Amino acid sequence: MAKKILLTGDRPTGKLHLGHYVGSLANRVKFQKEYDCFFIIADYQVLTDHIQDTKQVPQNVEEVILDWLSIGLDPKQSTFFIQSAVPQLAELTMYFSMLVTIARLRRNPTIKSEAQNVRVDSDKDNITYGFLGYPISQAADILLFQPDIVPVGEDQLPHIEQTREIAEKFNSLFGKVFKLPKAIVSENSRLPGLDGKSKMSKSLNNAIYLSDSADEVKKKVMTAFTDPTRIRATDPGHLQGNVVFTYLDAFHPDSKELDLLKERYQKGAVGDVEVKKLLIEVLNNFLEPIRIKRKEFAKDKKYLHKIITAGCEKARGVGEKTMQEVRRAVHYDYPGLLG
Ligand code: TRP
């Protein structure tokens, strides 16, 4: 039997961080053998809020590919491709754009908060058509490949919900072409940033990157938010909202040992510095093999070229098959006139 299909991806805005790993990358690795995977590098999406920065996109695309390879995504099993290199995505976006109202787009909470970050307002007229509408393009990213599952971070759930609505609407108007994909979110998917204030994010400058050196990890962890009520190491410590323990929960390989440490911390029997030192060790043990692989892959530009060219070609092939069905369903395949 054919494998089920998985699709997900990232924006090429720079190197990926631990928040990406916990939210989505770890699930990709887990599902890679079982599913036929498509991984999209969403370069069109950079245009929504960073249109002045397209010059950096080629470098960022390369960083994303290197991050993917170094955490163990395998182009022999999976398809890596670039959004703008698959024209069928733009074509499908055109059809989908007729199925969504402006009011519905404005209700998407992720759009609202992303707009705020770049000081536009999704309720006013200073947001571009492409920004407000990018969930439609994302629905095309997903549905063109007919996936069963879409592993994403929590912030992407509104987009998957909208994708499902679009699929339903299309199917009800033109007959069943699309199946409804399911979002998969990992347990502790919303990794906070080092400051503990919000999620880990490049723009908030509170991230640990998969490619950070051992020294950078050490420096960053030392600044991490812990328990502000605690003055001395003998004061009872709190775990709630404590970034260092949240990271240990996500990355410590031995949960029993971690439980003991938590008990001691809550009793005031262990200081913040000791806990931070442990976290540095845990993170560096996790990151070291990733760093080594990343360096190896970075040397082999020919290999990167090869896998991306092949991936984009495969994505166009799969996409063209779906588009033939779409054009036929809409009656825009013009038998007798075209083809
Ligand atoms: N919006 C996603 C992000 O910002 C990237 C993305 C684009 C994506 N197309 C997708 C994710 C399709 C999952 C499926 O990270």
Side-chain angles (χ1 to χ4, degrees):
M1 219 180 76
K3 281 185 182 172
K4 288 190 170 180
I5 298 171
L6 176 157
L7 181 134
T8 188
D10 298 297
R11 287 185 185 194
T13 50
K15 295 173 174 179
L16 301 177
H17 52 61
L18 294 179
H20 291 115
Y21 186 82
V22 170
S24 172
L25 298 171
N27 264 341
R28 296 181 202 176
V29 179
K30 188 168 112 198
F31 289 128
Q32 185 171 230
K33 282 216 170 67
E34 195 185 328
Y35 287 82
D36 190 2
C37 296
F38 290 85
F39 300 126
I40 185 170
I41 303 179
D43 59 347
Y44 281 149
Q45 286 195 8
V46 179
L47 304 174
T48 61
D49 56 359
H50 283 85
I51 199 157
Q52 311 84 347
D53 303 333
T54 57
K55 215 169 153 190
Q56 273 101 285
V57 168
Q59 178 63 35
N60 290 343
V61 167
E62 204 172 301
E63 303 287 2
V64 169
I65 299 168
L66 289 174
D67 283 329
W68 287 357
L69 289 169
S70 63
I71 59 141
L73 299 187
D74 177 5
K76 282 204 231 52
Q77 308 178 56
S78 304
T79 306
F80 294 13
F81 68 99
I82 300 173
Q83 190 180 31
S84 68
V86 180
Q88 289 83 0
L89 287 172
E91 189 183 354
L92 189 54
T93 302
M94 182 66 179
Y95 289 101
F96 285 173
S97 69
M98 311 299 164
L99 309 178
V100 186
T101 65
I102 307 279
R104 176 64 183 90
L105 290 168
R106 285 195 163 133
R107 277 200 301 274
N108 184 315
T110 296
I111 294 290
K112 272 194 215 275
S113 67
E114 285 174 351
Q116 246 172 26
N117 289 344
V118 288
R119 284 179 286 283
V120 298
D121 186 336
S122 53
D123 289 322
K124 302 228 173 75
D125 290 339
N126 65 359
I127 190 164
T128 67
Y129 165 68
F131 190 165
L132 187 65
Y134 92 72
I136 302 176
S137 149
Q138 184 156 335
D141 297 343
I142 296 169
L143 295 173
L144 190 72
F145 299 92
Q146 303 274 18
D148 297 279
I149 61 167
V150 186
V152 284
E154 216 173 39
D155 61 316
Q156 297 295 303
L157 289 176
H159 298 344
I160 314 300
E161 194 182 314
Q162 240 180 325
T163 298
R164 292 166 59 94
E165 285 174 29
I166 289 172
E168 278 179 322
K169 180 92 194 189
F170 186 98
N171 289 348
S172 77
L173 281 168
F174 299 112
K176 186 165 188 286
V177 172
F178 296 106
K179 63 181 166 203
L180 305 192
K182 202 172 138 221
I184 306 268
V185 183
S186 37
E187 268 167 55
N188 44 8
S189 83
R190 217 183 127 93
L191 202 67
L194 288 159
D195 54 3
K197 286 201 194 99
S198 45
K199 69 168 190 170
M200 190 175 279
S201 132
K202 180 187 159 163
S203 55
L204 299 174
N205 208 1
N206 62 6
I208 297 177
Y209 293 92
L210 293 168
S211 48
D212 275 350
S213 69
D215 220 39
E216 281 165 319
V217 170
K218 184 173 165 193
K219 278 200 199 113
K220 288 183 180 177
V221 168
M222 281 310 190
T223 71
F225 182 84
T226 53
D227 175 0
T229 67
R230 205 167 183 234
I231 315 228
R232 292 178 207 86
T234 49
D235 295 344
H238 298 90
L239 304 176
Q240 184 70 24
N242 190 320
V243 170
V244 174
F245 279 96
T246 309
Y247 292 0
L248 283 170
D249 275 332
F251 291 99
H252 197 302
D254 184 340
S255 62
K256 281 207 189 102
E257 200 182 298
L258 180 56
D259 284 344
L260 289 175
L261 180 73
K262 284 180 183 170
E263 270 175 41
R264 286 173 58 219
Y265 189 81
Q266 284 169 304
K267 277 192 224 146
V270 52
D272 274 10
V273 175
E274 190 184 329
V275 183
K276 284 184 171 177
K277 279 192 176 145
L278 174 71
L279 177 62
I280 292 165
E281 192 188 318
V282 163
L283 288 181
N284 279 330
N285 284 343
F286 168 74
L287 290 173
E288 187 55 17
I290 297 176
R291 288 183 198 118
I292 293 172
K293 273 186 154 181
R294 202 179 199 281
K295 283 208 184 92
E296 286 300 308
F297 285 119
K299 281 190 232 151
D300 199 348
K301 297 266 157 128
K302 263 200 193 137
Y303 177 69
L304 302 186
H305 175 269
K306 194 176 116 190
I307 61 173
I308 282 297
T309 323
C312 292
E313 198 175 307
K314 168 141 183 233
R316 285 190 293 267
V318 173
E320 183 53 24
K321 270 181 81 180
T322 304
M323 281 318 297
Q324 282 171 5
E325 277 183 58
V326 168
R327 293 178 207 121
R328 198 176 316 122
V330 181
H331 304 288
Y332 283 13
D333 56 337
Y334 298 110
L337 288 176
L338 283 177

